[in-house]
Amino acid sequence: EKKELFVYNHYDVQDPDPLDQWASDPFGAEIRDGYVYARGATDDKGNLYANMKALEVLKELLGEVPPGIKLFVEVWNRYDTYLLNRAEQGRAFVKMVNKPNVGVMLDTFHLNIEEVDMAQAILDCKGCLYHLHVGDSNRAAPGMGHMDFRPIMKALAEIGYQGYVTMELVPPGADPETYEELHDMTSFFEEYPAVSLKTLKAIEAAL
């Protein structure tokens, strides 16, 4: 049986400018006036470093990174990151790296913000789309917003997509963690997945 390992996390970074206003080096903790300051200590680059070092060791031991280990870069909308915002930028990055283990990850929520034609963005990623997140325009379950998933599902079929489709859904609040503390989450954990599957399977059956 073919086995694959997907390493996924958010490796987003804050814009470093203006550099002259930083009082400490990145990731270096120091004590000032009795408080610990650690610039960049709460983001995920530490995890990224550990993952990359693990891959480096595998390459040294085996001569290459095993093909079952996939790395994919997710393109996010301009309000969440300034690095890669559109599918074409993700494709360019993958082409630059030029490794079979590295591919693009798309998310319908972000595509809805950045792409003129979401289906075409998926079609253009044929051969390099390794993973897909789905969520409606309001980040609720597909079918609970205004997004039309029929062209999206059709595009996936046309490129012969065989990867996973993951539901990345968020409750209806500005801060999901606070919302979870103050509300009954039963409908979120039960209704959202059920609506997602019903909507997507109905579209798939009609293709």
Side-chain angles (χ1 to χ4, degrees):
E1 182 182 352
K2 181 181 177 181
K3 296 184 182 296
E4 293 183 322
L5 172 65
F6 292 93
V7 178
Y8 172 73
N9 211 324
H10 289 159
Y11 304 125
D12 312 295
V13 294
Q14 181 181 356
D15 193 332
D17 292 323
L19 294 174
D20 59 353
Q21 293 186 19
W22 288 107
S24 60
D25 293 329
F27 314 114
E30 61 181 54
I31 298 176
R32 284 185 245 150
D33 300 323
Y35 294 94
V36 177
Y37 290 82
R39 171 186 164 196
T42 60
D43 61 26
D44 291 322
K45 287 185 288 296
N47 291 339
L48 173 62
Y49 180 78
N51 291 331
M52 298 310 294
K53 290 301 289 185
L55 293 176
E56 184 179 295
V57 171
L58 282 174
K59 186 174 182 180
E60 290 178 358
L61 293 174
L62 304 177
E64 64 177 359
V65 176
I69 298 179
K70 305 289 187 183
L71 301 174
F72 34 79
V73 56
E74 181 179 10
V75 294
W76 272 25
N77 72 78
R78 71 192 77 177
Y79 307 111
D80 287 325
T81 183
Y82 66 96
L83 296 175
L84 302 173
N85 305 122
R86 299 185 306 280
E88 63 177 311
Q89 295 173 321
R91 294 199 321 272
F93 179 85
V94 169
K95 183 177 180 180
M96 177 185 68
V97 175
N98 193 29
K99 298 291 183 182
N101 302 72
V102 180
V104 174
M105 175 177 173
L106 298 179
D107 185 315
T108 57
F109 174 78
H110 300 293
L111 292 177
N112 183 54
I113 296 173
E114 293 293 343
E115 303 293 344
V116 175
D117 186 333
M118 290 187 286
Q120 188 61 51
I122 292 173
L123 292 172
D124 291 341
C125 286
K126 181 179 181 179
C128 67
L129 179 60
Y130 282 10
H131 199 75
L132 178 71
H133 273 173
V134 293
D136 216 317
S137 55
N138 51 4
R139 221 142 199 200
M144 298 178 74
H146 62 65
M147 196 181 299
D148 185 359
F149 279 86
R150 288 172 295 183
I152 294 170
M153 295 291 287
K154 183 179 179 182
L156 291 173
E158 288 185 13
I159 67 172
Y161 180 69
Q162 297 295 313
Y164 291 100
V165 175
T166 303
M167 293 172 283
E168 187 176 53
L169 313 176
V170 179
D175 181 357
E177 293 183 3
T178 302
Y179 184 92
E180 185 173 356
E181 293 175 359
L182 301 176
H183 296 79
D184 181 1
M185 297 293 288
T186 302
S187 63
F188 176 75
F189 289 116
E190 294 182 1
E191 181 185 2
Y192 276 38
V195 171
S196 297
L197 291 173
K198 181 180 179 180
T199 301
L200 297 179
K201 284 184 176 294
I203 296 173
E204 182 183 30
L207 291 178

